[in-house]
Amino acid sequence: MDSKTTGVPQRVRVELGERSYDIVIGSGLLSQAAEYLRPLKLGKRGVIITDTNVESRYADVLSKALSKDGISAEVLSVTPGEASKSLRQANRLFEKMPSLGLDRHSFLIALGGGVVGDVAGYVAACYLRGIALVQVPTSLLAQVDSSVGGKVGVNLPQGKNLVGAFHQPRLVLADTDTLATLPARELRSGFAEVIKHGAIRDAAFFEWLEREHRQVFALDAVAVTHVVRRCCEIKAEVVSADERESGLRAILNFGHTLGHAMEALSEYVGLLHGEAIAMGMCCGAQMSMKRAGLGEAEAKRLHDLIAAAGLPTKLGKTFKVSELLAAARLDKKARNGKLRFVLLKRLGEAIISDAVTDADLEEAVNVCR
Ligand SMILES: NC(=O)c1ccc[n+]([C@@H]2O[C@H](COP(=O)([O-])OP(=O)(O)OC[C@H]3O[C@@H](n4cnc5c(N)ncnc54)[C@H](O)[C@@H]3O)[C@@H](O)[C@H]2O)c1
Ligand SMILES: [Zn+2]
């Protein structure tokens, strides 16, 4: 870590030609929002979409900051939780938009965790065939992952993220101060995606996490900023190389095929996204040992870091193997009936494989129960 990770806000650029944008990471950014929005030359009318937990803490600070530049932004809230990532919620939001006097220069701010980012992003992608979107992520998961990269959408009862679009934000403003009010379980859930970024792309970062994860959970400002920045750099690099997931981008789905299956089977309540991904990565490590040459010691290091973060490593008996397999098949990463899995060759290097058989999958699930 270097001196650049302290004090002044950090900037990470997502290079996507005319859709390029900055991710700004730092303390106190919410109250300086107008300053960061100004260069984008958006209109004077915005809408802030948030959830009720985040609204009560941060919506006022943000609206006041925007009003300094004469921007008026109505606040629309959804109920907190994954169940709000639905067509029903999206529809409710769509129907409120026409009365807000928006035009094609108006913009939408997603203020909240990944649920708000995904559903509000979907509304921004579709309303008037697309209006500008600014992501203001307030959960660790949203700051390290979901606010970056332009995937937006909602779930169907049958599966996660089955309806959606690509809609890149114009700016991501990650105010690390907001993490102070995030419940501990949500912080751990977000850490699952942090571990994922190290495991698929950066062995040195993975080692750093093994040494320093306690600092992150203690919300040490330097450690948190380092984590958010490094994850955003990794995600920006992968998304810049493959915006629409025709290849490389799929590595970001490590742990997600089974994770999504578990989320759908638990009907989007009770199990947090990061918790499902943690268990999905443990199964992924098993399959990686069998089909991608991941060493046993490295698989153990992944397992141990997940456990040290207080995340689940065992699926328990809640899920039937047959149901998990069926739900995994419905996940959109199944191609021509073949399941494609992200596997680790080693810590820091992921591959996409269709070598995993039903029997391998079943075995991995059984080992992780
Ligand atoms: N689009 C993508 O590329 C992408 C990537 C990863 C994950 N996701 C999605 O992200 C979602 C999970 O996001 P999440 O974990 O942020 O969940 P979330 O949005 O439900 O937020 C977690 C909880 O924390 C609360 N919260 C958020 N910020 C807070 C704060 N600062 N203080 C107090 N409470 C706060 C929320 O109200 C909620 O109850 C999943 O739907 C997942 O599929 C999307
Ligand atoms: Zn995820």
Side-chain angles (χ1 to χ4, degrees), residues 141 145 193 196 252 254 256 260 263 273-274 277:
L141 185 139
D145 196 340
E193 305 277 21
K196 176 195 79 179
L252 296 169
F254 178 53
H256 279 61
H260 283 164
E263 287 188 89
H273 178 68
I277 297 321

Side-chain angles (χ1 to χ4, degrees), residues 266-285:
S266 65
E267 296 175 339
Y268 310 113
V269 288
L271 183 64
L272 301 183
H273 178 68
E275 294 168 347
I277 297 321
M279 295 185 276
M281 289 193 292
C282 287
C283 293

Side-chain angles (χ1 to χ4, degrees), residues 27-342:
S27 162
L29 297 181
L30 273 185
S31 57
Q32 300 159 25
E35 196 179 303
Y36 291 100
L37 282 171
R38 212 169 291 142
L40 304 179
K41 298 194 165 48
L42 301 171
K44 294 291 177 201
R45 256 196 116 61
V47 186
I48 297 171
I49 295 184
T50 184
D51 72 22
T52 49
N53 287 338
V54 178
E55 178 184 10
S56 59
R57 294 174 169 98
Y58 302 111
D60 263 4
V61 186
L62 184 59
S63 322
K64 284 208 181 93
L66 296 177
S67 66
K68 281 187 220 154
D69 267 20
I71 297 169
S72 67
E74 206 81 31
V75 178
L76 300 180
S77 273
V78 302
T79 310
E82 187 71 28
S84 282
K85 231 177 91 171
S86 64
L87 282 171
R88 202 168 145 264
Q89 264 314 331
N91 207 35
R92 201 190 123 247
L93 294 166
F94 282 136
E95 289 181 348
K96 291 196 169 186
M97 304 286 276
S99 65
L100 300 179
L102 307 177
D103 60 31
R104 296 209 36 85
H105 303 285
S106 305
F107 60 98
L108 196 154
I109 298 183
L111 170 70
V115 165
V116 162
D118 283 8
V119 69
Y122 179 65
V123 170
C126 300
Y127 191 66
L128 302 177
R129 295 201 182 82
I131 60 173
L133 169 68
V134 173
Q135 291 275 9
V136 183
T138 62
S139 70
L140 180 65
L141 185 139
Q143 297 192 351
V144 299
D145 196 340
S146 62
S147 63
V148 176
K151 277 194 183 179
V152 296
V154 297
N155 305 323
L156 295 180
Q158 293 87 342
K160 280 272 296 186
N161 304 331
L162 290 180
V163 177
F166 286 98
H167 191 58
Q168 299 293 344
R170 300 285 302 279
L171 171 74
V172 180
L173 218 49
D175 185 335
T176 48
D177 294 348
T178 60
L179 301 180
T181 56
L182 191 67
R185 186 178 166 200
E186 299 291 350
L187 196 66
R188 286 196 290 275
S189 171
F191 201 77
E193 305 277 21
V194 174
I195 296 174
K196 176 195 79 179
H197 281 104
I200 59 171
R201 198 76 178 163
D202 187 345
F205 180 52
F206 190 92
E207 267 176 47
W208 184 90
L209 293 171
E210 291 177 302
R211 282 196 315 274
E212 306 290 340
H213 61 273
R214 286 173 209 85
Q215 297 304 313
V216 180
F217 289 114
L219 294 185
D220 173 83
V222 176
V224 167
T225 308
H226 178 64
V227 157
V228 177
R229 175 176 156 191
R230 189 65 201 120
C231 290
C232 287
E233 282 169 354
I234 291 169
K235 186 151 185 191
E237 193 183 292
V238 171
V239 168
S240 297
D242 177 23
E243 184 181 10
R244 299 233 158 193
E245 199 169 309
S246 46
L248 180 71
R249 184 168 180 164
I251 66 170
L252 296 169
N253 298 326
F254 178 53
H256 279 61
T257 298
L258 277 172
H260 283 164
M262 290 181 245
E263 287 188 89
L265 290 178
S266 65
E267 296 175 339
Y268 310 113
V269 288
L271 183 64
L272 301 183
H273 178 68
E275 294 168 347
I277 297 321
M279 295 185 276
M281 289 193 292
C282 287
C283 293
Q286 286 298 323
M287 296 185 285
S288 300
M289 282 197 287
K290 182 137 192 207
R291 296 289 173 200
L294 181 72
E296 207 178 322
E298 289 199 305
K300 183 171 183 311
R301 282 174 61 198
L302 178 61
H303 177 279
D304 289 353
L305 182 56
I306 292 170
L311 285 160
T313 57
K314 294 271 179 224
L315 280 63
K317 305 283 179 207
T318 334
F319 305 108
K320 285 206 187 101
V321 178
S322 57
E323 283 174 0
L324 266 180
L325 288 174
R329 289 208 174 285
L330 247 176
D331 193 64
K332 61 198 178 317
K333 279 164 288 297
R335 301 273 150 76
N336 308 322
K338 267 210 140 192
L339 280 171
R340 299 168 82 236
F341 277 94
V342 184

